[in-house]
Amino acid sequence: MRLRALASTAACGLALLFAAAPSASAAEGRFTYLYNDPSGAPHLGGLIDPPSGVCITLREVEHPWTTPAHTPRNDTDATAVVFADAHCEGPYFSLRPHGGHASERLKVRSVVFS
């Protein structure tokens, strides 16, 4: 009888643990930037509802032979920290939530949201 009660209590505890497990969080909203294709033509790139706490290298400008993105705009509900190099390395700059932005002088290759 005690063993059954102990097993039942353990099962309930595990069920509660998994029920309370946090879901993956994401910054809600849109993050945009401008980049140039190999011919030099400008394009608008962006991320919608990006994951929080994960470094995101911008695929259009990840390679060193491409020109970096610029003019980032953070319309998410989280702070965006943009980096000059891929893999969230190099000099960085923080953009506030809900409209933080920078000019074409800020060169960007990766970003992380908090």
Side-chain angles (χ1 to χ4, degrees), residues 21-32:
S23 61
S25 62
E28 292 184 16
R30 183 177 209 170
F31 175 81
T32 58

Side-chain angles (χ1 to χ4, degrees), residues 1-12:
M1 186 69 148
R2 282 180 129 176
L3 186 56
R4 230 182 281 167
L6 181 60
S8 176
T9 302
C12 288

Side-chain angles (χ1 to χ4, degrees), residues 31-43:
F31 175 81
T32 58
Y33 50 92
L34 295 176
Y35 68 95
N36 297 333
D37 67 17
S39 71
H43 295 277

Side-chain angles (χ1 to χ4, degrees), residues 4-75:
R4 230 182 281 167
L6 181 60
S8 176
T9 302
C12 288
L14 283 174
L16 182 61
L17 175 67
F18 288 116
S23 61
S25 62
E28 292 184 16
R30 183 177 209 170
F31 175 81
T32 58
Y33 50 92
L34 295 176
Y35 68 95
N36 297 333
D37 67 17
S39 71
H43 295 277
L44 180 66
L47 305 168
I48 298 173
D49 298 336
S52 296
V54 176
C55 177
I56 301 169
T57 297
L58 306 177
R59 64 181 175 80
E60 301 92 349
V61 296
E62 67 182 315
H63 301 293
W65 61 83
T66 60
T67 57
H70 58 86
T71 319
R73 181 172 181 88
N74 182 23
D75 288 316

Side-chain angles (χ1 to χ4, degrees), residues 98-114:
H98 306 293
H101 61 280
S103 73
E104 69 277 352
R105 293 184 300 159
L106 183 62
K107 306 305 181 195
V108 178
R109 290 192 191 270
S110 56
V111 60
V112 66
F113 296 87
S114 58

